Amino acid sequence: MSNRSDDEWRAVLTPQQFAVLRQKGTEPPGSGEYTSTFNAGIYGCGACGAPLYKSSTKFDAHCGWPAFYEALPGAVRRIEDRSLGMDRTEIVCSKCASHLGHVFRGEGFATPTDERHCVNSISLKLAKE
């Protein structure tokens, strides 16, 4: 896990990245770079670059954010999130603890895990194959 201070993160992230990755914000639906991208590659953490998702696990959930059904083993950590009056599961990068988004289960998508990792585009960086 990263030991960077907020000032150190501010020095390497844009204000928008800092708001989402370090302050648990959310980008507006449909506004992100990777919402409709289906290029082959590995999606890494937008803060530290750690590999998070294979592009082959990305699917179109029509939710306004990139959706994946499975992270790389050990890449994300799940945290109970009861903010905003909801019961959700937050996902953060295992390496630097940056906020990625949330995981939803049982929505009926035809995926192997029955999960939707709803991830902010700004929390990702695609390394194309």
Side-chain angles (χ1 to χ4, degrees):
M1 187 176 298
S2 176
N3 292 323
R4 287 185 180 184
S5 69
D6 281 351
D7 286 339
E8 290 171 315
W9 280 118
R10 280 187 181 93
V12 297
L13 300 174
T14 68
Q16 295 84 3
Q17 287 174 314
F18 186 83
V20 174
L21 288 158
R22 304 308 303 168
Q23 297 179 314
K24 302 181 185 225
T26 302
E27 63 191 355
S31 67
E33 176 182 2
Y34 300 121
T35 302
S36 300
T37 299
F38 289 92
N39 294 322
I42 299 290
Y43 287 87
C45 176
C48 73
L52 302 172
Y53 296 95
K54 291 181 182 178
S55 60
S56 59
T57 65
K58 189 173 188 290
F59 68 102
D60 192 355
H62 304 286
C63 63
W65 294 274
F68 302 85
Y69 63 80
E70 177 177 68
L72 292 168
V76 302
R77 191 165 41 95
R78 296 170 186 236
I79 301 168
E80 185 178 305
D81 178 2
R82 294 186 182 216
S83 65
L84 305 176
M86 294 184 270
D87 199 8
R88 305 181 292 175
T89 302
E90 179 189 10
I91 47 176
V92 299
C93 173
S94 290
K95 183 176 179 185
C96 72
S98 288
H99 174 74
L100 304 172
H102 290 86
V103 174
F104 301 93
R105 293 188 55 81
E107 296 179 314
F109 290 107
T111 63
T113 61
D114 197 25
E115 288 188 344
R116 174 174 60 96
H117 293 221
C118 185
V119 183
N120 291 285
S121 280
I122 205 164
S123 296
L124 300 169
K125 185 67 180 169
L126 175 61
K128 294 180 185 175
E129 289 181 345

